[in-house]
Amino acid sequence: MRTELRNVSKVYHFDGRADHHDVQALASLSLTIAEGELACIVGPSGCGKSTILNLVAGLERPTTGEVLFGDAPVAGPGPDRVLVFQAYTLFPWLTARENIEFGLRSLRLPADERRRRVDRELARVGLNGFARAYPHELSGGMQQRVAIARALTMEPRALLMDEPFAALDAQTRNLMQEDLLTALGREPKTMIFVTHSVDEALFLADTVTVLSARPARMLDHIRIDLPRPRKRTSRDLNELRERILAQLAEQVRLAERGNVPWGS
Amino acid sequence: MGLLADTRKGDTASTPDAPSPRVVRSVARLLRLESSDVRRNAVSAASVIVLLVIWQIIADLRLFEQTLFPEPRGIVQSYHYWWANGGLATGLSISLRRMVMAYALSLAIGIPIGMLIGRFPLADWTLGTVVRLLQPIPGIAWVPLAVVWFTSVSESAKIFIVITGGVFPVLVSTSAGVRTVPPAYLRVARTLGVRGLGLFTWVVFPATIPSIVAGMRISWAFCWRSLMAAEIVLAARTGPGQEGLGGLIAVARQLDQINTAGMVMVTLAAVGLLIDGLVFHAVERRIRRRRGLTE
C-alpha cells in the first residue's frame, strides 16, 4: 500500500486563557512512501514529524490537503495502519499477553486464532517467558517490544513508528534496531519510522527524508541501498551522516535565532 | 534489649536441642518488631490499650457524674447485657443490611454518573452542576424530605438518607479519575481499531479503577455516618435492636444509659475499622501492587 501526503497542511489552534494562537506544524508538504518501504523521517524536534504519523494513522485530520493510503483517503484510525508510540503506553492493568491481544478484540476473531497470533508475536519479539508479566515488571526495552508486538498482532499493512526507541539507553536502542530488522526480515512491510536520531535512520532505512524546522518542508530525500545488517560506522553511512547532520544543524541554528532575542 | 541480643547469639551457636534457627529468628523478629507491618500494628494496639487505661482512670476519679460519662468497664457490662438479650446482634445485622443496600445503590448511581461527568463536557455542565449543588447538603438535612416522600418510619426513608450521604464521594472521585486517564491510552486504543463504547469499557473504566476504589472507600465511611444519623432520628420500632445500632443510641438517650451509647460508638468504630482495613486497604494494596504503583 502506497502512502501519500498531497500538499498537506496542519494548523493547531491553541485556545488558552490569556493567549490564542495558531501553530503551523505542516505547510503544504508532499511525501510519498512506496509499498514495502522502510521510510525514516528525521527532523529537528518539534518540526511536525509526529503530526505526519498521526495524520496517516487517522488520529488527526489535515487542515488542508489529502492523506492517501492505497488509493483511498484516510478517514480515521484503522487496524491496517497501526501506530507505535514513544514509551509508557502499555496498559498497566493488563499482562504482556493481554496487552498484545488488546486490539484483536475489535477484530472479532475466534479465540484460537487470537491465541495463535499472540503466541506468534510473543515469539517474534523474544518474550515467550514474559507473557504473564505486568508492564511494570518489564524493562523499558521489553515494554517497547510488547508495544511493537501489540501493533504487529493486528497484521497491519503499514507500521507507523513514532520514535519508539527514543526513551531507551543507547545500547538497548541499538539492540532494538537490530532485532526489529530481524523480526521483520522475512516479511517486507511498509514502515514509516520517525526519529530524531540520524544514526537510527541510517541503520534502518530504505529512504531517509530530512525535514526542516516548523513548518516542515522536505530538505532532502536519500535512498540507501546498502545491504543489512549495516555497519554503523561504514564510510558510506558516515558520509550520509555528515550530510544530514549539517542540514539539521542549520535548521536548529535558524530556529534558535528565531526564538531568542539575543541571537545575533 | 539484652534478652533479645542473647536470643540471637543462641541462634548462631545452635545447640542440638535448641529450636530450629528459623523459628528462633522469626520469634526474634517479632519481638524486635522488625517487620514494619507487625511493628505498626503492635504500636497501634498498645496505644489503644493506653487510651482505655487513661479513660478508665479518669472515670474512676469521678470528676464527672457517672450518668454523663461512659467508661470502659461500664461499656463492657453493656456489651454483656445487649449481647445476652440479642439486641446488639439484631441491631448490628439490621444496620449492616441497610448499609449494604444503600451502599450498593450509592455505587450503582455514583459510578456511572461520575464516568459520564468525567468523560463528556456536556454531562459535566448539566449533571455535574446539579451534583455540585447537592453535594454540600449533609445527609441529615434530607430527613424532612425523606419523611414526606417516603413513609416516615419506612426502610426507604433511611436508605434514601444514606444514599444522599454516600453517593457523592464515589461520584466525584470517579469523575476525577476519568479526567486523568492518560490521553496516550486512548490514542493507543484508537490506533488499534477500538472505538466508541469499547474505549469506555476497555480503557477508560479499567484506567479509572484506582480512583473508583478510593472513592468507594470514602463513600463507605459517609454511608456509615449517614446511616447512624437516619437511625437515631427516625427510630420508631421498639424491641432490642430493631432499629439498628443508631436505634440503640436513641434508646440509650431516652433511658439515660450512657454506657450503652458508648458501647454503640465503640461498635461503630470497630466495624468501620474492620471493613476499611480488611476490605478496602487490601483491595487498594492489591491494585497498586499489580499496576506497579508501589515501591
Side-chain angles (χ1 to χ4, degrees):
Chain A
M1 286 279 195
R2 208 166 74 122
T3 310
E4 194 178 344
L5 277 72
R6 276 192 201 150
N7 294 317
V8 167
S9 313
K10 178 71 187 177
V11 177
Y12 291 102
H13 183 65
F14 286 94
D15 203 356
R17 193 167 286 189
D19 157 51
H20 311 264
H21 64 284
D22 293 340
V23 171
Q24 178 118 34
L26 303 175
S28 106
L29 180 76
S30 292
L31 189 67
T32 305
I33 289 124
E35 161 110 54
E37 184 175 301
L38 203 172
C40 282
I41 299 176
V42 296
S45 63
C47 80
K49 304 185 293 278
S50 297
T51 303
I52 295 173
L53 290 187
N54 287 331
L55 291 171
V56 175
L59 293 175
E60 292 172 13
R61 289 169 186 278
T63 310
T64 62
E66 258 189 319
V67 181
L68 299 171
F69 188 69
D71 294 321
V74 169
D80 53 344
R81 296 151 281 129
V82 177
L83 185 48
V84 176
F85 298 87
Q86 200 180 91
Y88 312 116
T89 56
L90 296 183
F91 301 115
W93 57 88
L94 299 178
T95 61
R97 164 176 285 280
E98 290 162 345
N99 262 290
I100 295 171
E101 203 180 352
F102 184 86
L104 297 181
R105 303 192 222 192
S106 62
L107 294 186
R108 308 195 187 290
L109 295 171
D112 56 334
E113 166 68 6
R114 288 207 301 260
R115 195 172 330 110
R116 195 185 62 76
R117 284 203 193 183
V118 175
D119 286 339
R120 183 190 63 202
E121 298 309 332
L122 274 168
R124 196 207 296 262
V125 298
L127 286 178
N128 276 322
F130 293 90
R132 294 158 67 96
Y134 284 93
H136 73 96
E137 296 167 324
L138 301 172
S139 68
M142 286 164 137
Q143 290 186 27
Q144 284 309 80
R145 284 169 197 267
V146 175
I148 291 168
R150 181 169 65 179
L152 288 173
T153 191
M154 304 297 288
E155 300 184 351
R157 312 289 293 267
L159 202 54
L160 313 175
M161 309 282 259
D162 192 0
E163 307 202 32
F165 307 146
L168 305 175
D169 64 82
Q171 282 72 32
T172 308
R173 188 174 189 162
N174 286 351
L175 180 67
M176 295 287 285
Q177 292 161 5
E178 286 157 28
D179 287 358
L180 178 68
L181 292 178
T182 328
L184 296 175
R186 267 170 258 117
E187 65 184 279
K189 189 180 281 281
T190 309
M191 178 149 55
I192 309 179
F193 194 112
V194 158
T195 177
H196 62 246
S197 158
V198 177
D199 289 9
E200 187 163 80
L202 292 173
F203 185 73
L204 295 174
D206 295 322
T207 62
V208 179
T209 302
V210 185
L211 296 182
S212 71
R214 198 175 62 216
R217 288 172 294 114
M218 197 195 291
L219 290 179
D220 204 349
H221 186 79
I222 304 162
R223 173 163 289 283
I224 306 176
D225 282 324
L226 299 169
R228 297 186 182 91
R230 293 175 186 157
K231 193 166 179 298
R232 292 174 195 272
T233 49
S234 73
R235 239 184 75 187
D236 290 329
L237 289 193
N238 278 339
E239 278 169 13
L240 288 172
R241 182 176 293 117
E242 221 164 292
R243 168 171 153 188
I244 297 171
L245 285 174
Q247 289 166 338
L248 292 177
E250 176 66 16
Q251 289 301 312
V252 173
R253 209 172 293 125
L254 284 174
E256 289 292 312
R257 260 187 210 150
N259 288 341
V260 293
W262 57 83
S264 51
Chain B
M1 277 328 267
L3 173 81
L4 298 170
D6 286 345
T7 320
R8 246 188 123 94
K9 217 177 281 165
D11 173 20
T12 46
S14 74
T15 40
D17 49 349
S20 82
R22 196 194 287 172
V23 173
V24 173
R25 233 179 285 132
S26 51
V27 169
R29 201 178 301 134
L30 262 177
L31 291 175
R32 290 158 54 94
L33 307 174
E34 270 175 17
S35 140
S36 69
D37 261 8
V38 171
R39 174 163 40 189
R40 202 188 60 194
N41 290 340
V43 172
S44 298
S47 69
V48 170
I49 292 168
V50 169
L51 172 74
L52 287 173
V53 168
I54 293 175
W55 183 4
Q56 187 64 59
I57 290 171
I58 292 175
D60 286 342
L61 291 175
R62 294 281 178 269
L63 296 172
F64 309 99
E65 186 118 16
Q66 241 174 314
T67 53
L68 297 181
F69 195 68
E71 45 146 4
R73 225 182 285 124
I75 288 173
V76 171
Q77 282 161 8
S78 289
Y79 268 111
H80 277 300
Y81 173 77
W82 286 103
W83 188 254
N85 75 2
L88 183 60
T90 312
L92 196 57
S93 81
I94 284 179
S95 283
L96 282 177
R97 206 164 53 213
R98 286 176 182 151
M99 184 69 187
V100 166
M101 176 167 253
Y103 182 61
L105 286 169
S106 296
L107 300 186
I109 298 166
I111 294 173
I113 293 181
M115 305 269 311
L116 285 177
I117 288 177
R119 186 97 175 95
F120 304 109
L122 189 61
D124 186 25
W125 302 336
T126 53
L127 268 177
T129 307
V130 177
V131 164
R132 280 184 285 274
L133 280 171
L134 296 181
Q135 193 191 357
I137 304 174
I140 192 83
W142 288 92
V143 165
L145 289 186
V147 167
V148 182
W149 288 349
F150 308 94
T151 323
S152 67
V153 296
S154 65
E155 287 299 291
S156 326
K158 293 181 189 91
I159 285 172
F160 173 78
I161 291 166
V162 177
I163 292 173
T164 61
V167 74
F168 294 110
V170 73
L171 193 161
V172 171
S173 183
T174 301
S175 68
V178 170
R179 282 195 197 99
T180 52
V181 172
Y185 292 166
L186 292 167
R187 291 163 68 81
V188 168
R190 286 173 61 211
T191 189
L192 292 168
V194 176
R195 284 179 298 157
L197 201 61
L199 288 176
F200 226 95
T201 48
W202 296 338
V203 182
V204 176
F205 181 69
T208 309
I209 284 176
S211 303
I212 294 177
V213 172
M216 284 169 67
R217 193 172 182 175
I218 305 170
S219 271
W220 177 268
F222 273 67
C223 279
W224 201 221
R225 286 166 168 73
S226 303
L227 177 66
M228 288 312 120
E231 286 183 344
I232 292 171
V233 176
L234 298 181
R237 273 179 285 178
T238 49
Q242 286 301 314
E243 270 303 347
L245 291 174
L248 277 181
I249 290 193
V251 168
R253 191 184 56 186
Q254 282 156 18
L255 303 181
D256 275 343
Q257 295 178 348
I258 202 70
N259 283 320
T260 298
M263 172 197 79
V264 177
M265 291 171 74
V266 169
T267 310
L268 295 177
V271 172
L273 190 70
L274 214 65
I275 303 276
D276 193 64
L278 288 187
V279 181
F280 289 112
H281 184 65
V283 170
E284 274 193 344
R285 188 145 78 165
R286 193 182 139 86
I287 290 172
R288 295 181 67 80
R289 200 167 278 168
R290 169 171 295 185
R291 299 193 178 194
L293 298 169
T294 44
E295 52 303 331

